[in-house]
């Protein structure tokens, strides 16, 4: 994967994340965005994808790491395993 591709992916993922961020406050909702039904687990999965791409691009991801570590139990509840590092 080249840097341009990862940067474009980050941009698109961030756009999607902003569009569905209401799920962070209302995890029981299902949203329709760009013809897809989005649920809270999707928001968490997008967060992980953004983190990994941002980390590869050399961005400061410390805030993500703190959030993920704090909410590891929540991630597990939605079937997502997360390990910082």
């Amino acid at each position: 994967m080249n840097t341009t591709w990862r940067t474009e992916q980050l941009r698109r993922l961030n756009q999607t994340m902003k569009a569905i961020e209401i799920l962070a406050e209302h995890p029981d909702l299902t949203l329709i965005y760009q013809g897809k039904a989005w649920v809270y687990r999707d928001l968490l999965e997008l967060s992980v994808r953004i983190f990994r791409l941002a980390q590869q691009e050399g961005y400061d991801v410390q805030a993500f790491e703190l959030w993920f570590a704090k909410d590891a139990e929540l991630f597990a509840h939605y079937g997502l395993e997360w390990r910082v590092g």
Side-chain angles (χ1 to χ4, degrees):
M1 282 184 248
N2 65 36
T3 299
T4 305
W5 182 87
R6 286 192 301 256
T7 302
E8 178 60 23
Q9 285 293 306
L10 275 171
R11 187 187 66 73
R12 281 195 268 133
L13 290 172
N14 189 50
Q15 262 182 332
T16 301
M17 188 85 144
K18 286 182 186 285
I20 66 171
E21 68 185 350
I22 192 170
L23 292 172
E25 295 179 19
H26 304 282
D28 55 322
L29 291 180
T30 298
L31 296 175
I32 304 298
Y33 174 68
Q34 292 186 342
K36 180 185 185 298
W38 296 84
V39 295
Y40 188 68
R41 178 189 166 101
D42 295 322
L43 185 72
L44 297 177
E45 288 175 342
L46 277 176
S47 299
V48 171
R49 289 179 61 197
I50 289 171
F51 168 83
R52 293 209 168 113
L53 286 170
Q55 188 177 44
Q56 290 172 1
E57 287 299 299
Y59 289 100
D60 179 6
V61 294
Q62 186 176 13
F64 273 113
E65 290 174 339
L66 292 173
W67 177 63
F68 289 142
K70 183 177 78 76
D71 287 344
E73 190 173 307
L74 178 66
F75 275 73
H77 174 75
Y78 285 92
L80 299 169
E81 185 176 316
W82 176 256
R83 288 189 196 110
V84 174

